[in-house]
Amino acid sequence: MSLIHLFFVGLVSLEAAAATSFSSGSRAILRDIGSSNDVSDHKENAVELNATNFDSVFQDTPAKFAVLEFFAHWCPACRNYKPHYEKVARLFNGPEAVHPGTVLMTRVDCAAKMNVKLCDKFSIKRYPMLFWAPPRKFVGASWEPKQEKSEILVVDEWRTADLLLSWINKQLGSSYGLDDQKVGNEHLLPNVSDHEQISQAVFDIEEATEEVFDIILSLKAIKSSETAASFSRFLQLLVPHHPSRRCRKGSAEILMNFDDLCPSGECSYDSGVNNTLRNFHICGKDLPRGYYTFCRGSKNETRGFSCGLWILMHSLSVRIEDGESQFAFTAICDFINNFFMCDDCRRHFHDMCLSVKSPFKKARDVVLWLWSTHNKVNERLKKDEDSLGTGDPKFPKMIWPPKQLCSSCYLTSTGKNIDWDHDEVYRFLKEYYGEKLVSSYKKKSEGGVSKEEVVVAAAEEMTVPTNALVVPVGAALAIALASCAFGALACYWRIQQKNRKHHHNPHYLRRYSSNYLVMNTFSNNESEREKER
């Protein structure tokens, strides 16, 4: 027993000595390594993925490329590497991203039981392990070490933030730096003459659509049969005309179930109840993302949501047919009046809706009315922002479109008095918020995706319906071909019934009627605005 006792005493002594030595030596080295390159920012920007959200996140991201890290939470090397990975992720992910929409930084914890099969699909034999590909290449994908001609690449230079960003720059042909700072939306202006910048607006339209839906839910804003009818009419406008396919599908699904979700205008908002609006996502489970791209301001409190909502309304207006013009006008006016929570903005917009006197008969007139209204709003806000210093210095309010984008839209321009060529303005708006948004999206995507895939992706995400009666609800039901056809037919019937009801409702003709607008100038004085009202 004495020999055994001496053995254990000696073993304990050796362990204590080793621990002391490691603490004073090796741990100090690890601290030096961990603190080198100033990777002390512990804010998590990388998107945590798991087996349930893996495909949907990569399917729906606007980013052109993605980095996927496989790690294990018990792995010391992974824990030490995390600050390096996060330092790169803060450039591309989250609301404070310096270069949003470029690279999606993600990670999967292989130590979680639910992710074991997912990690096996990518042949993960060591931690951490990083991959690179266009996001959609990860959807339903797998990877083998000896796999040939795979578009999924192994990142072989990753051990520090500098090495990883350098590797990413080689793939993109970029020169991003770890010290890059957010200075505003570098993807929009300074060059206002670049038509192709509108290509990124589709992601902001999705963001604004989901955000307004979240606001309605959080404030429980559907409180009566009137607000329920307003919300339903706006859904009827979104289903055939929203620029995003998945927002059309989500809107159709909510519309099909709306009478059950909100009987007599009384909606259930409890998250624990099955039959509630909270169980639906109008544009996707990954939204809102928390940041804007085309509509990103140089300050957190400028542009963003309101910009995205304006672009949504313009995009809807250029997609309607003549027979829908009055319905679209009333749907937009009612929706803003009931659900836009900035009270002054809501009242001003409502006044401009009430100022029109007879129903719209041409879609062209709705497009021009919304354009004119937006410019009047910009003029009013510019005065306030200039006097109070609350505007965005890099994106001041302006008359739209500027000459750099559409010189033919201007007949004459002297100071604040502008004589517009309305035919040219209409042509520009129709192209800019319709065709240009689609074609630019295709061209922008060609950088890292095959031509065939670009066409498919653009067709799926951005197809503009040419017939307002074609309602894409089949995919929303997603049960079988027969049920898809039935769902589309049912939604079509429902829209026709509600359109017929509201088109012939004299209350709406009295409340929001419109005359053919004569818009020769944009005078901003209060007396003229009072006359309009």
Side-chain angles (χ1 to χ4, degrees):
M1 292 295 291
S2 60
L3 288 174
I4 295 175
H5 177 73
L6 288 171
F7 172 77
F8 277 110
V9 170
L11 184 60
V12 171
S13 300
L14 285 172
E15 288 179 343
T20 302
S21 174
F22 185 78
S23 176
S24 61
S26 300
R27 286 185 180 175
I29 293 173
L30 285 178
R31 280 197 301 271
D32 290 340
I33 294 174
S35 61
S36 65
N37 296 326
D38 191 25
V39 287
S40 57
D41 185 3
H42 297 294
K43 183 178 179 181
E44 295 190 6
N45 289 300
V47 178
E48 296 282 347
L49 302 179
N50 55 51
T52 60
N53 68 357
F54 186 87
D55 284 351
S56 63
V57 169
F58 283 125
Q59 181 74 35
D60 297 332
T61 179
K64 297 179 178 64
F65 294 94
V67 176
L68 173 59
E69 178 198 8
F70 288 97
F71 73 102
H73 63 259
W74 49 257
C75 165
C78 298
R79 290 197 298 269
N80 290 335
Y81 179 61
K82 185 176 180 179
H84 291 270
Y85 194 74
E86 287 292 338
K87 191 170 186 183
V88 178
R90 73 107 190 160
L91 297 174
F92 304 110
N93 288 17
E96 297 299 315
V98 183
H99 309 292
T102 307
V103 179
L104 178 68
M105 304 288 291
T106 64
R107 55 205 317 259
V108 174
D109 184 2
C110 293
K113 289 184 179 180
M114 69 182 302
N115 296 330
V116 170
K117 291 184 179 180
L118 176 60
C119 296
D120 286 345
K121 287 177 63 177
F122 284 84
S123 307
I124 304 302
K125 304 299 182 186
R126 57 180 171 82
Y127 305 119
M129 193 169 181
L130 279 66
F131 295 90
W132 167 275
R136 293 192 179 189
K137 294 301 179 182
F138 285 117
V139 177
S142 60
W143 181 85
E144 295 289 341
K146 297 181 180 180
Q147 188 173 338
E148 295 182 0
K149 297 181 179 180
S150 174
E151 292 191 57
I152 300 177
L153 305 179
V154 176
V155 180
D156 51 10
E157 297 176 3
W158 54 266
R159 292 187 180 276
T160 67
D162 286 303
L163 285 174
L164 177 58
L165 185 58
S166 177
W167 192 93
I168 291 173
N169 279 331
K170 290 178 183 177
Q171 307 305 311
L172 298 176
S174 56
S175 56
Y176 298 140
L178 293 174
D179 296 326
D180 289 356
Q181 297 298 319
K182 178 181 176 182
V183 292
N185 189 349
E186 60 191 28
H187 299 288
L188 177 59
L189 299 175
N191 185 9
V192 295
S193 62
D194 184 1
H195 290 69
E196 296 182 3
Q197 291 165 355
I198 190 64
S199 65
Q200 298 189 34
V202 64
F203 305 116
D204 291 354
I205 295 172
E206 290 180 336
E207 185 78 4
T209 305
E210 191 69 41
E211 189 169 345
V212 74
F213 185 62
D214 280 2
I215 291 172
I216 291 171
L217 293 183
S218 63
L219 297 178
K220 300 180 180 180
I222 304 174
K223 301 175 180 179
S224 64
S225 57
E226 182 180 353
T227 52
S230 173
F231 184 72
S232 177
R233 283 191 295 274
F234 196 67
L235 287 177
Q236 293 173 45
L237 188 61
L238 297 184
V239 169
H241 297 306
H242 198 291
S244 167
R245 180 178 62 91
R246 59 179 180 157
C247 294
R248 295 197 298 270
K249 289 165 57 179
S251 301
E253 187 175 2
I254 296 172
L255 183 61
M256 286 291 293
N257 293 279
F258 191 70
D259 284 346
D260 296 327
L261 296 170
C262 300
S264 302
E266 297 181 2
C267 300
S268 173
Y269 296 96
D270 297 333
S271 56
V273 179
N274 290 331
N275 205 24
T276 175
L277 276 174
R278 292 191 185 277
N279 295 334
F280 291 84
H281 292 273
I282 198 165
C283 288
K285 292 181 179 180
D286 63 314
L287 293 169
R289 303 179 184 96
Y291 65 89
Y292 287 84
T293 303
F294 180 86
C295 285
R296 187 181 181 196
S298 63
K299 301 178 181 178
N300 289 337
E301 65 271 18
T302 59
R303 307 189 79 226
F305 171 62
S306 58
C307 168
L309 195 59
W310 272 114
I311 296 177
L312 170 62
M313 292 191 292
H314 286 299
S315 298
L316 293 172
S317 73
V318 301
R319 286 164 169 79
I320 63 172
E321 303 292 337
D322 287 345
E324 306 167 278
S325 54
Q326 179 62 21
F327 175 78
F329 170 72
T330 58
I332 290 172
C333 285
D334 258 355
F335 187 81
I336 297 299
N337 187 48
N338 284 302
F339 302 114
F340 194 69
M341 300 308 170
C342 171
D343 192 52
D344 281 349
C345 306
R346 179 191 62 77
R347 286 189 295 104
H348 280 291
F349 193 87
H350 184 58
D351 287 345
M352 286 185 281
C353 289
L354 292 175
S355 69
V356 294
K357 303 303 179 184
S358 59
F360 284 107
K361 296 181 180 180
K362 295 288 185 180
R364 176 184 184 273
D365 296 342
V366 178
V367 173
L368 292 175
W369 176 84
L370 190 63
W371 158 75
S372 173
T373 298
H374 194 174
N375 273 329
K376 291 175 183 176
V377 169
N378 278 351
E379 284 191 313
R380 178 178 60 82
L381 291 177
K382 181 175 173 56
K383 281 188 174 181
D384 295 339
E385 292 176 355
D386 288 349
S387 63
L388 298 172
T390 56
D392 192 321
K394 293 186 179 295
F395 304 99
K397 296 288 189 296
M398 65 170 63
I399 295 300
W400 189 262
K403 285 187 178 180
Q404 297 96 316
L405 279 179
C406 185
S407 58
S408 61
C409 293
Y410 290 70
L411 292 175
T412 59
S413 176
T414 56
K416 292 183 179 181
N417 297 318
I418 302 172
D419 189 11
W420 296 96
D421 185 329
H422 293 116
D423 291 334
E424 285 297 305
V425 171
Y426 175 68
R427 181 198 58 76
F428 168 81
L429 296 171
K430 188 83 172 174
E431 180 183 13
Y432 190 76
Y433 292 110
E435 298 171 7
K436 180 62 68 175
L437 193 142
V438 179
S439 60
S440 296
Y441 178 83
K442 291 181 182 179
K443 186 174 180 180
K444 282 276 187 180
S445 300
E446 289 176 358
V449 189
S450 65
K451 184 176 181 180
E452 181 180 358
E453 182 188 353
V454 169
V455 174
V456 172
E460 288 182 346
E461 280 298 325
M462 302 294 302
T463 299
V464 180
T466 57
N467 188 332
L469 303 182
V470 178
V471 182
V473 299
L477 300 178
I479 299 172
L481 181 60
S483 62
C484 287
F486 174 79
L489 182 61
C491 190
Y492 163 73
W493 176 85
R494 177 173 179 152
I495 288 177
Q496 293 309 298
Q497 294 299 313
K498 292 194 174 185
N499 280 352
R500 188 176 299 112
K501 173 183 176 182
H502 297 300
H503 271 305
H504 298 286
N505 189 336
H507 167 71
Y508 289 98
L509 290 179
R510 287 196 303 270
R511 185 176 182 184
Y512 296 131
S513 56
S514 62
N515 55 357
Y516 189 83
L517 297 178
V518 179
M519 300 170 290
N520 291 327
T521 65
F522 280 107
S523 178
N524 195 37
N525 61 68
E526 289 295 328
S527 61
E528 286 197 13
R529 197 154 55 242
E530 289 300 323
K531 289 178 182 178
E532 280 186 343
R533 295 175 185 173

